[in-house]
Amino acid sequence: MSDTSRIAEIIQQMASLRAIYRESPLHQPVVSALDRLNRNLWSGGDRRIIVLIGEPGIGKSRTIHEVLKTHASFKHAYRSFECPSPCTVGAMGAAMLSQLGHSVTRENFRDHSLVSRIESILPHSGVHIVLIDEAQHALNSASEMKLAGNRDFWKRVTQGSYPFGLVLSGTSRIKEVVLQDRQLSRRTIFVEGRRLVDNDADDTEGLIGKYAADASLECEVTADLALRVMHACAYTFGEVCKLIIAAVEDALITEATTLTINNFASAYAADTDCEPQDTPFITPEWARLPIAGAVSTATPLDRLAVGRGGF
C-alpha cells in the first residue's frame, strides 16, 4: 500500500472514530432535564427553559446535541444555532426565525415584533425546542437594559400557547443573568457541568480502551495513565476525548499495533510544543506540573500533512 493510500485509510478510520459518542458526566443530567422539560411543555403550566453551563472543553455542546438527536420526543422536533459574537436580541430572534424556516430580510430583521413572528410560525414548524449554543455571546459587555431585553425575549418566546421550550448553553455568565430575573429563574432548569476528578480515572481508562479497540489496537495501560491524561487535559471530558483520539492517530501513523503511553507523549508534546520534562506522559513528577488548560485541537494527521507534504 502506498503512503498516500495508507494515510487516506487512516483519515477515514479516524473520521469514524470521532463520530463515536462516548457518554460524558453530563449525559444523564441532560437527559433528566430534557425529560422534565418535555413533561412541562404538555402540562399547561408555565413554560420552562434549560440553562446548560460549564467551562469550555467539558463537552456541553456535544452532549446536548447527541441527547437531542436520540430523544424520543425531540429528535425530530428541535433546531439549533450558535449565537454569533457579538449578538443582539434582534440577531438572536432572526437566527431563530431562520431555523424555523422563515426567510429573514433586512426589513423584518429590524422589526420590533420578532416574538410575534416567532409565535405565528411555531405552530406550523413542528419544532418544540430550540438550542441556542454559546448564548453568553448575547450577554457579554451588554448594558443592563440590553440584558433585560435578552431575558424578556427568552421569557416571551416560551410563554405562548404552543408547547415550545429553549435550551441555552454556554458559560456561567448565562446563569448570572438569568438569576437577576426572579420570574425567569423560577422557570429555569439549571444543569451545571463539572470537571473530571481523580475518581473518574476508571471511567477514563475504560474510555482509552474503547477508543483503542475501535481502532483495532491493543492497549497497554500503565497504572496512572488515566490520571496523567486527565491532568494533561485540565480534567475536561471533551479534551480528554480529543487527546485519546490524537494518541490513537499517532499509533496508527507509526504503524503500531498497541496504544501505549508513548503515543500520548508524542501527541501531547507535538500539540503543545513543550519540553520532555514538561510532558505529563514522560516526567515522573507529572502531578507537580501546572494544569495549563486545554490542549490544541491539532491532530497528528494535521501535523503530518503539513510537515511531510501530506505524503
Side-chain angles (χ1 to χ4, degrees), residues 11 26 40 53 58 65 72 78 170 178 238 241 250 253 261 276 293 306:
I11 290 173
L26 266 174
N40 167 260
I53 60 173
I58 66 171
H65 278 285
Y78 88 95
V178 167
C241 290
D250 186 84
I253 289 170
I261 193 171
V306 173

Side-chain angles (χ1 to χ4, degrees), residues 38-295:
N38 184 44
R39 292 191 298 269
N40 167 260
L41 291 184
W42 305 99
S43 69
D46 288 340
R47 300 280 187 257
R48 294 189 179 274
I49 69 171
I50 294 173
V51 169
L52 173 60
I53 60 173
E55 299 174 68
I58 66 171
K60 299 185 302 297
S61 296
R62 181 65 184 270
T63 299
I64 186 64
H65 278 285
E66 291 294 338
V67 175
L68 280 168
K69 285 194 298 186
T70 58
H71 194 278
S73 297
F74 295 132
K75 60 183 177 182
H76 301 302
Y78 88 95
R79 299 290 184 272
S80 65
F81 65 91
E82 183 173 318
C83 211
S85 178
C87 181
T88 63
V89 171
M92 188 162 41
M96 188 177 297
L97 281 169
S98 178
Q99 289 297 316
L100 296 174
H102 183 73
S103 60
V104 180
T105 66
R106 182 179 297 273
E107 288 73 22
N108 62 34
F109 178 84
R110 294 176 176 175
D111 197 313
H112 70 279
S113 59
L114 279 169
V115 174
S116 297
R117 290 173 178 268
I118 292 170
E119 287 178 335
S120 67
I121 292 168
L122 275 172
H124 311 288
S125 68
V127 175
H128 291 290
I129 189 168
V130 167
L131 162 65
I132 305 177
D133 209 357
E134 303 295 348
Q136 76 277 358
H137 289 168
L139 310 173
N140 294 337
S141 303
S143 66
E144 181 52 43
M145 182 178 295
K146 290 181 178 179
L147 293 179
N150 278 282
R151 290 190 294 262
D152 186 55
F153 174 77
W154 294 333
K155 284 190 293 185
R156 290 177 62 199
V157 296
T158 55
Q159 284 180 333
S161 58
Y162 181 78
F164 176 72
L166 286 178
V167 179
L168 308 177
S169 176
T171 67
S172 58
R173 176 62 173 153
I174 307 170
K175 182 177 181 179
E176 293 173 7
V177 172
V178 167
L179 288 176
Q180 292 170 3
D181 186 300
R182 184 174 180 180
Q183 183 184 36
L184 182 60
S185 62
R186 180 179 59 82
R187 295 170 48 203
T188 299
I189 303 167
F190 292 102
V191 180
E192 298 192 37
R194 65 171 178 85
R195 290 195 182 203
L196 300 174
V197 295
D198 286 351
N199 287 341
D200 293 308
D202 287 345
D203 289 337
T204 302
E205 185 173 312
L207 198 66
I208 295 169
K210 288 176 182 177
Y211 275 118
D214 288 330
S216 301
L217 293 170
E218 298 294 325
C219 189
E220 180 183 288
V221 178
T222 60
D224 60 0
L225 177 59
L227 291 171
R228 290 176 186 247
V229 169
M230 291 191 296
H231 186 94
C233 297
Y235 288 84
T236 55
F237 179 83
E239 297 302 322
V240 163
C241 290
K242 290 180 185 177
L243 182 56
I244 296 172
I245 290 173
V248 169
E249 287 184 1
D250 186 84
L252 293 175
I253 289 170
T254 57
E255 299 185 331
T257 58
T258 302
L259 179 68
T260 72
I261 193 171
N262 293 330
N263 299 119
F264 285 92
S266 176
Y268 182 85
D271 277 344
T272 59
D273 197 30
C274 65
E275 297 298 325
Q277 66 269 19
D278 297 323
T279 303
F281 303 101
I282 293 178
T283 176
E285 300 296 321
W286 62 269
R288 296 181 179 274
L289 295 175
I291 297 177
V295 297

